[in-house]
Amino acid sequence: MRAPTRIACLVLSAMLVAACGTNDIDKAPPFYENLAKPGAQVNVAAAASLLTDYRRANGQPAVEADAKLTALAQDHVRRMAAIDKVTHDPGNRGFNQRLKAANYNAARAAENVSAGYHTLAEAFSGWRDSPSHNTNMLLPGATRFGIATAYSEKSKYRVFWALVLAVPAAPE
């Protein structure tokens, strides 16, 4: 092998070895991040991407995160974690009552709640495989969503989930 070729091979080899030391390779995609630990929160952007891809593949429009719906979901998961129960109405406040209390005007809306999934990928797969939850994820015309998780060390579930999808009402 000629000297210039040998040098080029050595430089290329050194660059490849250096690239192996980066932390980017070790980091899992956000939808596989383990949320069963204190302070962990679902990645809303990853959820938007996953939901949008799924909805588009099923003939529905994309969804984007909505601050009011995310706050609604966050409040709901905290309440479920506090009582260690998966429910649509903690404290006798059903979904529609909570939507109104959040001042969210929806033409249609749906909510998925669950617990025990430790990653976004697990929650999404569980919802997709459940006919009623899947129907909610594919809510016709929905363009807004909110999603949240709450960790509970004392619960057998560890992670509580809430997903809200909505078709915003037309402005009056």
Side-chain angles (χ1 to χ4, degrees), residues 30-107:
F31 43 90
Y32 291 127
E33 182 181 340
N34 183 4
L35 303 176
K37 55 189 173 187
Q41 295 293 315
V42 64
N43 183 311
V44 176
S49 177
L50 198 58
L51 278 168
T52 290
D53 288 350
Y54 183 63
R55 288 177 55 78
R56 283 185 174 156
N58 285 278
Q60 294 302 321
V63 290
E64 61 184 60
D66 182 283
K68 284 185 179 180
L69 296 178
T70 299
L72 179 71
Q74 188 65 57
D75 182 62
H76 190 70
V77 293
R78 286 185 185 135
R79 290 175 188 267
M80 288 192 303
I83 63 172
D84 196 20
K85 184 177 178 185
V86 179
T87 178
H88 286 282
D89 61 352
N92 296 321
R93 289 185 59 194
F95 180 55
N96 289 327
Q97 289 174 307
R98 289 184 284 111
L99 267 176
K100 286 180 184 177
N103 290 324
Y104 196 87
N105 190 12

